[in-house]
Amino acid sequence: MVATFTGKVVLVTGGGSGIGRASALAFAREGAKVVVADVAVEAGVDTVSKIEATYGEAIFVKTDVSKAAEVKKLIKKTVDTYGAIDCAFNNAGIKGVSSSTAACTEENWDRVLNINLKGVWLCMKYQIPYMREQGGGAIVNMSAAAGLSNCLERFPAYTASKNAVIGLTKTAALEYAKAGIRINALCPGYIYTPMVESEIHQNHQNSDLKDLMANKVPMGRWGTPEEIAEIALFLCSDTASYVNGHAMVVDGGLVA
Ligand code: NAD
């Protein structure tokens, strides 16, 4: 089903872990030259080593997606190295600290919004001009099922950021459709990644939280990073040539 990415240049932010790493590996498997961006150096370098050891070509660029100067440099480095930027998976994100809306600190609010929302905007801000110049491209922005109807209690900043990513994605999709740039959002449900694992391990009062959450999903299980990676590939591929401005849910039936 998934089209080949041979000859394509693909950028994945948050590519050092979880969904981002699985996606970077999958794009490379399909022939893409992959730019792995992450704030975590060791993790990002490790993803590149895994790509080089198994499939192909990749570079790592240390980037904090909430910083305009770093994102600008990342996109320039991508184009300088590989001559183009065909697809971007703006995936980097954090959950932030768990607290009620009234208890959420300004620091937590700003950090989550800066990475999850401003980070996605900054990535598009610097990706789009190159894509326009080269005559098109495909962008996938990471939202979440929590960006739709499955809002998360005790994560107000996260939920707000993921809702906002969908609005931002649709606005940009309208603006650049005629420039040949497709822009979609991806909304995973419960995906078992290092982000989730550390949250579950911190929650000592509820050691079977993992099973409790799995039981909330109609399919009765967590999704895997690889299952989300395949959908990121689909949305970036020519197979999805008429999919634009869409928020695609991949959640085992959670939102339904
Ligand atoms: P993860 O923690 O395994 O990976 C996130 C990666 O983003 C890490 O490598 C981290 O270093 C990087 N990152 C964090 N802040 C960054 C910054 N400022 N600049 C650049 N990189 C940064 O998490 P994951 O579960 O793979 O999540 C990836 C994305 O998927 C996030 O946006 C998350 O909100 C979203 N998501 C995850 C789930 C889930 O259940 N795991 C569900 C819905 C959406």
Side-chain angles (χ1 to χ4, degrees), residues 13-21 37-40 43-44 63-67 89-95 111 114-116 142-146 158 162 186-196 222 225:
T13 70
S17 176
I19 295 166
R21 169 173 286 178
D38 206 295
V39 77
T63 311
D64 179 342
V65 296
S66 67
K67 306 257 165 58
F89 183 20
N90 298 324
N91 157 79
I94 59 165
K95 208 144 176 216
R111 187 167 139 71
N114 280 342
I115 295 172
N116 293 7
M142 183 52 99
S143 176
Y158 181 82
K162 296 302 186 183
L186 187 43
C187 304
Y190 299 159
I191 313 303
Y192 206 70
T193 66
M195 176 193 273
V196 168
W222 288 78

mmCIF file of all heavy atoms in Angstrom, residues 13-21 37-40 43-44 63-67 89-95 111 114-116 142-146 158 162 186-196 222 225, ligand 1:
data_model
loop_
_atom_site.group_PDB
_atom_site.id
_atom_site.type_symbol
_atom_site.label_atom_id
_atom_site.label_comp_id
_atom_site.label_asym_id
_atom_site.label_seq_id
_atom_site.Cartn_x
_atom_site.Cartn_y
_atom_site.Cartn_z
ATOM 1 N N THR A 13 10.859 15.128 13.162
ATOM 2 C CA THR A 13 11.257 15.727 14.443
ATOM 3 C C THR A 13 10.852 14.791 15.578
ATOM 4 O O THR A 13 9.895 14.018 15.454
ATOM 5 C CB THR A 13 10.634 17.128 14.662
ATOM 6 O OG1 THR A 13 9.226 16.982 14.891
ATOM 7 C CG2 THR A 13 10.884 18.042 13.474
ATOM 8 N N GLY A 14 11.605 14.850 16.667
ATOM 9 C CA GLY A 14 11.388 13.890 17.750
ATOM 10 C C GLY A 14 11.762 12.492 17.298
ATOM 11 O O GLY A 14 11.212 11.495 17.772
ATOM 12 N N GLY A 15 12.727 12.429 16.383
ATOM 13 C CA GLY A 15 13.102 11.144 15.773
ATOM 14 C C GLY A 15 13.989 10.265 16.638
ATOM 15 O O GLY A 15 14.389 9.192 16.206
ATOM 16 N N GLY A 16 14.260 10.703 17.866
ATOM 17 C CA GLY A 16 15.135 9.916 18.730
ATOM 18 C C GLY A 16 14.425 8.846 19.534
ATOM 19 O O GLY A 16 15.081 8.022 20.172
ATOM 20 N N SER A 17 13.101 8.837 19.513
ATOM 21 C CA SER A 17 12.384 7.924 20.412
ATOM 22 C C SER A 17 10.995 7.600 19.855
ATOM 23 O O SER A 17 10.489 8.282 18.964
ATOM 24 C CB SER A 17 12.256 8.605 21.789
ATOM 25 O OG SER A 17 11.504 7.828 22.682
ATOM 26 N N GLY A 18 10.410 6.559 20.377
ATOM 27 C CA GLY A 18 8.992 6.247 20.176
ATOM 28 C C GLY A 18 8.518 6.298 18.730
ATOM 29 O O GLY A 18 9.107 5.679 17.828
ATOM 30 N N ILE A 19 7.459 7.057 18.509
ATOM 31 C CA ILE A 19 6.827 7.138 17.191
ATOM 32 C C ILE A 19 7.781 7.754 16.167
ATOM 33 O O ILE A 19 7.851 7.321 15.012
ATOM 34 C CB ILE A 19 5.511 7.958 17.284
ATOM 35 C CG1 ILE A 19 4.489 7.219 18.170
ATOM 36 C CG2 ILE A 19 4.941 8.228 15.893
ATOM 37 C CD1 ILE A 19 3.298 8.073 18.598
ATOM 38 N N GLY A 20 8.530 8.783 16.586
ATOM 39 C CA GLY A 20 9.470 9.448 15.679
ATOM 40 C C GLY A 20 10.560 8.500 15.204
ATOM 41 O O GLY A 20 10.892 8.466 14.017
ATOM 42 N N ARG A 21 11.109 7.727 16.145
ATOM 43 C CA ARG A 21 12.160 6.774 15.746
ATOM 44 C C ARG A 21 11.586 5.705 14.812
ATOM 45 O O ARG A 21 12.195 5.410 13.768
ATOM 46 C CB ARG A 21 12.780 6.109 16.970
ATOM 47 C CG ARG A 21 13.666 4.948 16.574
ATOM 48 C CD ARG A 21 14.424 4.353 17.715
ATOM 49 N NE ARG A 21 15.527 5.221 18.125
ATOM 50 C CZ ARG A 21 16.342 4.960 19.135
ATOM 51 N NH1 ARG A 21 16.169 3.893 19.848
ATOM 52 N NH2 ARG A 21 17.329 5.780 19.427
ATOM 53 N N ALA A 37 15.672 14.876 13.640
ATOM 54 C CA ALA A 37 15.876 16.029 14.527
ATOM 55 C C ALA A 37 15.355 15.679 15.909
ATOM 56 O O ALA A 37 14.285 15.082 16.039
ATOM 57 C CB ALA A 37 15.135 17.249 13.982
ATOM 58 N N ASP A 38 16.124 16.050 16.917
ATOM 59 C CA ASP A 38 15.676 15.811 18.288
ATOM 60 C C ASP A 38 16.502 16.699 19.208
ATOM 61 O O ASP A 38 17.626 17.078 18.878
ATOM 62 C CB ASP A 38 15.860 14.334 18.668
ATOM 63 C CG ASP A 38 14.887 13.887 19.756
ATOM 64 O OD1 ASP A 38 14.987 14.414 20.891
ATOM 65 O OD2 ASP A 38 14.035 13.030 19.493
ATOM 66 N N VAL A 39 15.917 17.003 20.362
ATOM 67 C CA VAL A 39 16.659 17.764 21.364
ATOM 68 C C VAL A 39 17.615 16.832 22.114
ATOM 69 O O VAL A 39 18.622 17.278 22.669
ATOM 70 C CB VAL A 39 15.657 18.501 22.294
ATOM 71 C CG1 VAL A 39 15.024 17.553 23.308
ATOM 72 C CG2 VAL A 39 16.259 19.697 22.964
ATOM 73 N N ALA A 40 17.315 15.546 22.111
ATOM 74 C CA ALA A 40 18.131 14.544 22.806
ATOM 75 C C ALA A 40 19.172 13.979 21.842
ATOM 76 O O ALA A 40 18.828 13.239 20.905
ATOM 77 C CB ALA A 40 17.234 13.428 23.332
ATOM 78 N N ALA A 43 19.973 9.952 21.722
ATOM 79 C CA ALA A 43 18.833 9.220 21.148
ATOM 80 C C ALA A 43 18.759 9.435 19.634
ATOM 81 O O ALA A 43 18.552 8.493 18.862
ATOM 82 C CB ALA A 43 17.537 9.681 21.809
ATOM 83 N N GLY A 44 18.972 10.677 19.209
ATOM 84 C CA GLY A 44 18.897 10.981 17.785
ATOM 85 C C GLY A 44 20.013 10.314 17.000
ATOM 86 O O GLY A 44 19.791 9.749 15.917
ATOM 87 N N THR A 63 18.087 19.684 17.536
ATOM 88 C CA THR A 63 17.145 20.797 17.380
ATOM 89 C C THR A 63 16.140 20.820 18.517
ATOM 90 O O THR A 63 15.530 19.799 18.842
ATOM 91 C CB THR A 63 16.315 20.631 16.071
ATOM 92 O OG1 THR A 63 17.203 20.340 14.985
ATOM 93 C CG2 THR A 63 15.522 21.879 15.760
ATOM 94 N N ASP A 64 15.967 21.996 19.088
ATOM 95 C CA ASP A 64 14.829 22.212 19.981
ATOM 96 C C ASP A 64 13.755 22.886 19.125
ATOM 97 O O ASP A 64 13.929 24.031 18.690
ATOM 98 C CB ASP A 64 15.252 23.120 21.145
ATOM 99 C CG ASP A 64 14.103 23.406 22.103
ATOM 100 O OD1 ASP A 64 12.923 23.203 21.719
ATOM 101 O OD2 ASP A 64 14.375 23.842 23.234
ATOM 102 N N VAL A 65 12.649 22.179 18.874
ATOM 103 C CA VAL A 65 11.651 22.695 17.927
ATOM 104 C C VAL A 65 10.930 23.946 18.428
ATOM 105 O O VAL A 65 10.230 24.604 17.659
ATOM 106 C CB VAL A 65 10.609 21.621 17.520
ATOM 107 C CG1 VAL A 65 11.244 20.475 16.760
ATOM 108 C CG2 VAL A 65 9.814 21.135 18.732
ATOM 109 N N SER A 66 11.103 24.279 19.701
ATOM 110 C CA SER A 66 10.441 25.481 20.216
ATOM 111 C C SER A 66 11.273 26.747 19.970
ATOM 112 O O SER A 66 10.841 27.849 20.303
ATOM 113 C CB SER A 66 10.140 25.327 21.709
ATOM 114 O OG SER A 66 11.333 25.292 22.457
ATOM 115 N N LYS A 67 12.456 26.575 19.385
ATOM 116 C CA LYS A 67 13.349 27.725 19.151
ATOM 117 C C LYS A 67 13.443 28.029 17.653
ATOM 118 O O LYS A 67 13.990 27.223 16.881
ATOM 119 C CB LYS A 67 14.753 27.422 19.692
ATOM 120 C CG LYS A 67 14.779 26.989 21.152
ATOM 121 C CD LYS A 67 15.243 28.145 22.025
ATOM 122 C CE LYS A 67 14.977 27.965 23.499
ATOM 123 N NZ LYS A 67 15.570 26.793 24.105
ATOM 124 N N PHE A 89 7.564 15.149 8.949
ATOM 125 C CA PHE A 89 6.697 14.627 10.004
ATOM 126 C C PHE A 89 7.059 15.414 11.268
ATOM 127 O O PHE A 89 8.073 15.143 11.907
ATOM 128 C CB PHE A 89 6.939 13.122 10.178
ATOM 129 C CG PHE A 89 6.046 12.453 11.198
ATOM 130 C CD1 PHE A 89 4.843 13.021 11.614
ATOM 131 C CD2 PHE A 89 6.398 11.222 11.735
ATOM 132 C CE1 PHE A 89 4.013 12.395 12.542
ATOM 133 C CE2 PHE A 89 5.582 10.578 12.667
ATOM 134 C CZ PHE A 89 4.394 11.176 13.074
ATOM 135 N N ASN A 90 6.231 16.427 11.558
ATOM 136 C CA ASN A 90 6.476 17.307 12.702
ATOM 137 C C ASN A 90 5.875 16.648 13.943
ATOM 138 O O ASN A 90 4.757 16.934 14.354
ATOM 139 C CB ASN A 90 5.880 18.688 12.418
ATOM 140 C CG ASN A 90 6.532 19.327 11.208
ATOM 141 O OD1 ASN A 90 7.737 19.166 10.986
ATOM 142 N ND2 ASN A 90 5.754 20.047 10.414
ATOM 143 N N ASN A 91 6.660 15.768 14.539
ATOM 144 C CA ASN A 91 6.167 14.811 15.530
ATOM 145 C C ASN A 91 6.581 15.136 16.967
ATOM 146 O O ASN A 91 5.911 14.716 17.906
ATOM 147 C CB ASN A 91 6.695 13.423 15.103
ATOM 148 C CG ASN A 91 6.771 12.446 16.243
ATOM 149 O OD1 ASN A 91 5.759 11.866 16.638
ATOM 150 N ND2 ASN A 91 7.962 12.247 16.809
ATOM 151 N N ALA A 92 7.666 15.907 17.147
ATOM 152 C CA ALA A 92 8.199 16.121 18.505
ATOM 153 C C ALA A 92 7.129 16.668 19.431
ATOM 154 O O ALA A 92 6.361 17.563 19.068
ATOM 155 C CB ALA A 92 9.381 17.092 18.446
ATOM 156 N N GLY A 93 7.079 16.113 20.630
ATOM 157 C CA GLY A 93 6.094 16.607 21.587
ATOM 158 C C GLY A 93 6.340 16.041 22.963
ATOM 159 O O GLY A 93 7.056 15.055 23.132
ATOM 160 N N ILE A 94 5.739 16.699 23.939
ATOM 161 C CA ILE A 94 5.836 16.234 25.331
ATOM 162 C C ILE A 94 4.433 16.259 25.943
ATOM 163 O O ILE A 94 3.539 16.955 25.455
ATOM 164 C CB ILE A 94 6.775 17.120 26.176
ATOM 165 C CG1 ILE A 94 6.290 18.582 26.200
ATOM 166 C CG2 ILE A 94 8.207 17.037 25.665
ATOM 167 C CD1 ILE A 94 6.927 19.432 27.274
ATOM 168 N N LYS A 95 4.284 15.515 27.020
ATOM 169 C CA LYS A 95 2.989 15.491 27.685
ATOM 170 C C LYS A 95 2.910 16.562 28.778
ATOM 171 O O LYS A 95 1.845 17.054 29.106
ATOM 172 C CB LYS A 95 2.762 14.106 28.289
ATOM 173 C CG LYS A 95 1.308 13.760 28.385
ATOM 174 C CD LYS A 95 1.035 12.317 28.135
ATOM 175 C CE LYS A 95 -0.446 12.074 28.346
ATOM 176 N NZ LYS A 95 -0.742 10.792 28.942
ATOM 177 N N ARG A 111 5.807 25.551 28.493
ATOM 178 C CA ARG A 111 6.702 24.519 27.947
ATOM 179 C C ARG A 111 5.961 23.602 26.976
ATOM 180 O O ARG A 111 6.423 23.342 25.866
ATOM 181 C CB ARG A 111 7.290 23.712 29.115
ATOM 182 C CG ARG A 111 8.347 22.740 28.724
ATOM 183 C CD ARG A 111 9.102 22.228 29.956
ATOM 184 N NE ARG A 111 9.374 20.790 29.863
ATOM 185 C CZ ARG A 111 10.254 20.240 29.042
ATOM 186 N NH1 ARG A 111 10.956 20.999 28.234
ATOM 187 N NH2 ARG A 111 10.424 18.933 29.011
ATOM 188 N N ASN A 114 4.813 25.573 23.887
ATOM 189 C CA ASN A 114 5.967 25.966 23.061
ATOM 190 C C ASN A 114 6.485 24.807 22.223
ATOM 191 O O ASN A 114 6.875 24.990 21.070
ATOM 192 C CB ASN A 114 7.099 26.517 23.930
ATOM 193 C CG ASN A 114 6.845 27.954 24.324
ATOM 194 O OD1 ASN A 114 6.033 28.633 23.698
ATOM 195 N ND2 ASN A 114 7.506 28.416 25.365
ATOM 196 N N ILE A 115 6.510 23.620 22.797
ATOM 197 C CA ILE A 115 7.029 22.465 22.042
ATOM 198 C C ILE A 115 5.943 21.896 21.122
ATOM 199 O O ILE A 115 6.154 21.731 19.917
ATOM 200 C CB ILE A 115 7.572 21.381 23.007
ATOM 201 C CG1 ILE A 115 8.791 21.931 23.757
ATOM 202 C CG2 ILE A 115 7.935 20.098 22.248
ATOM 203 C CD1 ILE A 115 9.311 21.052 24.880
ATOM 204 N N ASN A 116 4.767 21.626 21.667
ATOM 205 C CA ASN A 116 3.745 20.897 20.897
ATOM 206 C C ASN A 116 3.055 21.738 19.829
ATOM 207 O O ASN A 116 2.694 21.212 18.777
ATOM 208 C CB ASN A 116 2.659 20.357 21.843
ATOM 209 C CG ASN A 116 3.177 19.287 22.776
ATOM 210 O OD1 ASN A 116 4.375 19.013 22.828
ATOM 211 N ND2 ASN A 116 2.290 18.675 23.535
ATOM 212 N N MET A 142 1.909 16.223 14.217
ATOM 213 C CA MET A 142 1.455 15.322 15.264
ATOM 214 C C MET A 142 0.440 16.000 16.179
ATOM 215 O O MET A 142 0.749 16.968 16.862
ATOM 216 C CB MET A 142 2.658 14.821 16.079
ATOM 217 C CG MET A 142 2.274 13.821 17.147
ATOM 218 S SD MET A 142 1.289 12.436 16.519
ATOM 219 C CE MET A 142 2.555 11.185 16.341
ATOM 220 N N SER A 143 -0.773 15.484 16.167
ATOM 221 C CA SER A 143 -1.779 15.872 17.160
ATOM 222 C C SER A 143 -1.959 14.663 18.071
ATOM 223 O O SER A 143 -0.978 14.032 18.475
ATOM 224 C CB SER A 143 -3.073 16.288 16.457
ATOM 225 O OG SER A 143 -4.072 16.583 17.404
ATOM 226 N N ALA A 144 -3.178 14.300 18.388
ATOM 227 C CA ALA A 144 -3.457 13.143 19.251
ATOM 228 C C ALA A 144 -4.964 12.928 19.268
ATOM 229 O O ALA A 144 -5.730 13.840 18.929
ATOM 230 C CB ALA A 144 -2.965 13.405 20.673
ATOM 231 N N ALA A 145 -5.380 11.739 19.688
ATOM 232 C CA ALA A 145 -6.815 11.525 19.917
ATOM 233 C C ALA A 145 -7.290 12.551 20.940
ATOM 234 O O ALA A 145 -8.444 12.999 20.897
ATOM 235 C CB ALA A 145 -7.057 10.099 20.402
ATOM 236 N N ALA A 146 -6.372 12.974 21.839
ATOM 237 C CA ALA A 146 -6.700 14.012 22.831
ATOM 238 C C ALA A 146 -6.921 15.370 22.169
ATOM 239 O O ALA A 146 -7.388 16.308 22.814
ATOM 240 C CB ALA A 146 -5.579 14.116 23.864
ATOM 241 N N TYR A 158 -1.524 19.927 27.380
ATOM 242 C CA TYR A 158 -1.344 18.922 26.317
ATOM 243 C C TYR A 158 -2.596 18.866 25.435
ATOM 244 O O TYR A 158 -2.507 18.925 24.199
ATOM 245 C CB TYR A 158 -1.075 17.551 26.958
ATOM 246 C CG TYR A 158 -0.846 16.433 25.957
ATOM 247 C CD1 TYR A 158 0.405 16.246 25.376
ATOM 248 C CD2 TYR A 158 -1.879 15.562 25.605
ATOM 249 C CE1 TYR A 158 0.619 15.227 24.467
ATOM 250 C CE2 TYR A 158 -1.671 14.536 24.694
ATOM 251 C CZ TYR A 158 -0.418 14.367 24.129
ATOM 252 O OH TYR A 158 -0.205 13.365 23.224
ATOM 253 N N LYS A 162 -2.836 19.913 21.465
ATOM 254 C CA LYS A 162 -3.159 18.942 20.413
ATOM 255 C C LYS A 162 -4.430 19.340 19.658
ATOM 256 O O LYS A 162 -4.552 19.085 18.452
ATOM 257 C CB LYS A 162 -3.276 17.532 21.004
ATOM 258 C CG LYS A 162 -1.965 16.995 21.594
ATOM 259 C CD LYS A 162 -0.834 16.948 20.561
ATOM 260 C CE LYS A 162 0.436 16.281 21.070
ATOM 261 N NZ LYS A 162 1.528 16.295 20.104
ATOM 262 N N LEU A 186 -2.055 13.915 12.421
ATOM 263 C CA LEU A 186 -2.156 12.513 12.812
ATOM 264 C C LEU A 186 -2.579 12.479 14.285
ATOM 265 O O LEU A 186 -2.005 13.175 15.124
ATOM 266 C CB LEU A 186 -0.785 11.861 12.587
ATOM 267 C CG LEU A 186 -0.583 10.370 12.757
ATOM 268 C CD1 LEU A 186 -1.718 9.563 12.153
ATOM 269 C CD2 LEU A 186 0.726 9.972 12.108
ATOM 270 N N CYS A 187 -3.596 11.661 14.575
ATOM 271 C CA CYS A 187 -4.171 11.643 15.930
ATOM 272 C C CYS A 187 -4.147 10.234 16.513
ATOM 273 O O CYS A 187 -5.153 9.505 16.477
ATOM 274 C CB CYS A 187 -5.618 12.139 15.876
ATOM 275 S SG CYS A 187 -5.809 13.767 15.143
ATOM 276 N N PRO A 188 -3.000 9.829 17.079
ATOM 277 C CA PRO A 188 -2.940 8.496 17.681
ATOM 278 C C PRO A 188 -3.684 8.441 19.012
ATOM 279 O O PRO A 188 -3.815 9.449 19.709
ATOM 280 C CB PRO A 188 -1.439 8.287 17.917
ATOM 281 C CG PRO A 188 -0.742 9.380 17.192
ATOM 282 C CD PRO A 188 -1.699 10.513 17.119
ATOM 283 N N GLY A 189 -4.125 7.232 19.339
ATOM 284 C CA GLY A 189 -4.717 6.995 20.657
ATOM 285 C C GLY A 189 -3.636 6.590 21.640
ATOM 286 O O GLY A 189 -2.641 7.306 21.792
ATOM 287 N N TYR A 190 -3.800 5.444 22.302
ATOM 288 C CA TYR A 190 -2.807 4.999 23.289
ATOM 289 C C TYR A 190 -1.729 4.173 22.596
ATOM 290 O O TYR A 190 -1.955 3.042 22.174
ATOM 291 C CB TYR A 190 -3.465 4.140 24.365
ATOM 292 C CG TYR A 190 -4.541 4.825 25.174
ATOM 293 C CD1 TYR A 190 -5.504 4.088 25.856
ATOM 294 C CD2 TYR A 190 -4.604 6.215 25.274
ATOM 295 C CE1 TYR A 190 -6.492 4.712 26.610
ATOM 296 C CE2 TYR A 190 -5.584 6.849 26.023
ATOM 297 C CZ TYR A 190 -6.523 6.089 26.693
ATOM 298 O OH TYR A 190 -7.500 6.700 27.432
ATOM 299 N N ILE A 191 -0.539 4.763 22.498
ATOM 300 C CA ILE A 191 0.575 4.099 21.818
ATOM 301 C C ILE A 191 1.676 3.863 22.843
ATOM 302 O O ILE A 191 2.110 4.821 23.506
ATOM 303 C CB ILE A 191 1.119 4.971 20.652
ATOM 304 C CG1 ILE A 191 -0.038 5.502 19.786
ATOM 305 C CG2 ILE A 191 2.144 4.196 19.831
ATOM 306 C CD1 ILE A 191 -0.949 4.451 19.186
ATOM 307 N N TYR A 192 2.116 2.638 22.974
ATOM 308 C CA TYR A 192 3.093 2.322 24.015
ATOM 309 C C TYR A 192 4.500 2.728 23.582
ATOM 310 O O TYR A 192 5.129 2.066 22.761
ATOM 311 C CB TYR A 192 3.024 0.844 24.399
ATOM 312 C CG TYR A 192 3.498 0.640 25.813
ATOM 313 C CD1 TYR A 192 2.725 1.094 26.884
ATOM 314 C CD2 TYR A 192 4.721 0.060 26.088
ATOM 315 C CE1 TYR A 192 3.167 0.963 28.194
ATOM 316 C CE2 TYR A 192 5.168 -0.071 27.398
ATOM 317 C CZ TYR A 192 4.386 0.387 28.444
ATOM 318 O OH TYR A 192 4.831 0.262 29.739
ATOM 319 N N THR A 193 4.943 3.867 24.109
ATOM 320 C CA THR A 193 6.259 4.428 23.776
ATOM 321 C C THR A 193 6.984 4.781 25.077
ATOM 322 O O THR A 193 6.369 4.774 26.148
ATOM 323 C CB THR A 193 6.112 5.733 22.957
ATOM 324 O OG1 THR A 193 5.511 6.721 23.807
ATOM 325 C CG2 THR A 193 5.262 5.552 21.710
ATOM 326 N N PRO A 194 8.268 5.181 24.995
ATOM 327 C CA PRO A 194 8.973 5.614 26.210
ATOM 328 C C PRO A 194 8.244 6.722 26.976
ATOM 329 O O PRO A 194 8.277 6.771 28.203
ATOM 330 C CB PRO A 194 10.322 6.088 25.676
ATOM 331 C CG PRO A 194 10.543 5.223 24.464
ATOM 332 C CD PRO A 194 9.183 5.074 23.841
ATOM 333 N N MET A 195 7.541 7.624 26.246
ATOM 334 C CA MET A 195 6.795 8.702 26.909
ATOM 335 C C MET A 195 5.758 8.117 27.875
ATOM 336 O O MET A 195 5.629 8.511 29.023
ATOM 337 C CB MET A 195 6.078 9.566 25.857
ATOM 338 C CG MET A 195 5.192 10.664 26.432
ATOM 339 S SD MET A 195 4.098 11.386 25.185
ATOM 340 C CE MET A 195 5.123 12.650 24.500
ATOM 341 N N VAL A 196 5.026 7.119 27.393
ATOM 342 C CA VAL A 196 3.952 6.496 28.157
ATOM 343 C C VAL A 196 4.539 5.608 29.258
ATOM 344 O O VAL A 196 4.066 5.600 30.394
ATOM 345 C CB VAL A 196 3.073 5.669 27.190
ATOM 346 C CG1 VAL A 196 2.125 4.776 27.942
ATOM 347 C CG2 VAL A 196 2.338 6.595 26.232
ATOM 348 N N TRP A 222 -2.879 -1.610 23.499
ATOM 349 C CA TRP A 222 -2.144 -0.423 23.094
ATOM 350 C C TRP A 222 -1.738 -0.558 21.623
ATOM 351 O O TRP A 222 -1.528 -1.670 21.136
ATOM 352 C CB TRP A 222 -0.872 -0.303 23.926
ATOM 353 C CG TRP A 222 -1.110 0.098 25.349
ATOM 354 C CD1 TRP A 222 -1.541 -0.714 26.357
ATOM 355 C CD2 TRP A 222 -0.947 1.398 25.907
ATOM 356 N NE1 TRP A 222 -1.654 0.010 27.521
ATOM 357 C CE2 TRP A 222 -1.281 1.316 27.267
ATOM 358 C CE3 TRP A 222 -0.537 2.631 25.390
ATOM 359 C CZ2 TRP A 222 -1.229 2.408 28.127
ATOM 360 C CZ3 TRP A 222 -0.476 3.723 26.240
ATOM 361 C CH2 TRP A 222 -0.828 3.611 27.585
ATOM 362 N N PRO A 225 4.365 1.990 18.139
ATOM 363 C CA PRO A 225 4.932 3.101 17.351
ATOM 364 C C PRO A 225 4.977 2.758 15.865
ATOM 365 O O PRO A 225 4.769 3.626 15.013
ATOM 366 C CB PRO A 225 6.350 3.250 17.917
ATOM 367 C CG PRO A 225 6.296 2.663 19.276
ATOM 368 C CD PRO A 225 5.257 1.582 19.261
HETATM 369 P P1 NAD B 1 8.638 9.954 23.078
HETATM 370 O O1 NAD B 1 8.855 10.670 24.360
HETATM 371 O O2 NAD B 1 8.985 8.514 22.989
HETATM 372 O O3 NAD B 1 9.356 10.729 21.884
HETATM 373 C C1 NAD B 1 9.296 12.133 21.789
HETATM 374 C C2 NAD B 1 10.612 12.628 21.217
HETATM 375 O O4 NAD B 1 10.491 14.066 21.073
HETATM 376 C C3 NAD B 1 11.808 12.375 22.162
HETATM 377 O O5 NAD B 1 12.877 11.808 21.443
HETATM 378 C C4 NAD B 1 12.153 13.753 22.686
HETATM 379 O O6 NAD B 1 13.528 13.918 22.989
HETATM 380 C C5 NAD B 1 11.705 14.635 21.538
HETATM 381 N N1 NAD B 1 11.487 16.027 21.957
HETATM 382 C C6 NAD B 1 10.899 16.463 23.098
HETATM 383 N N2 NAD B 1 10.955 17.796 23.156
HETATM 384 C C7 NAD B 1 11.589 18.212 22.026
HETATM 385 C C8 NAD B 1 11.954 19.490 21.523
HETATM 386 N N3 NAD B 1 11.703 20.608 22.203
HETATM 387 N N4 NAD B 1 12.573 19.549 20.322
HETATM 388 C C9 NAD B 1 12.856 18.421 19.641
HETATM 389 N N5 NAD B 1 12.559 17.187 20.078
HETATM 390 C C10 NAD B 1 11.928 17.083 21.262
HETATM 391 O O7 NAD B 1 7.083 10.173 22.762
HETATM 392 P P2 NAD B 1 6.094 9.526 21.690
HETATM 393 O O8 NAD B 1 5.042 8.830 22.465
HETATM 394 O O9 NAD B 1 6.798 8.847 20.599
HETATM 395 O O10 NAD B 1 5.414 10.856 21.149
HETATM 396 C C11 NAD B 1 5.693 11.438 19.880
HETATM 397 C C12 NAD B 1 4.556 12.387 19.554
HETATM 398 O O11 NAD B 1 3.340 11.632 19.482
HETATM 399 C C13 NAD B 1 4.312 13.478 20.591
HETATM 400 O O12 NAD B 1 3.984 14.685 19.930
HETATM 401 C C14 NAD B 1 3.125 12.954 21.360
HETATM 402 O O13 NAD B 1 2.373 13.971 21.961
HETATM 403 C C15 NAD B 1 2.343 12.270 20.257
HETATM 404 N N6 NAD B 1 1.386 11.282 20.729
HETATM 405 C C16 NAD B 1 1.797 10.210 21.459
HETATM 406 C C17 NAD B 1 0.837 9.295 21.900
HETATM 407 C C18 NAD B 1 1.207 8.090 22.716
HETATM 408 O O14 NAD B 1 0.300 7.416 23.222
HETATM 409 N N7 NAD B 1 2.458 7.757 22.853
HETATM 410 C C19 NAD B 1 -0.512 9.491 21.584
HETATM 411 C C20 NAD B 1 -0.875 10.597 20.833
HETATM 412 C C21 NAD B 1 0.086 11.496 20.398
#
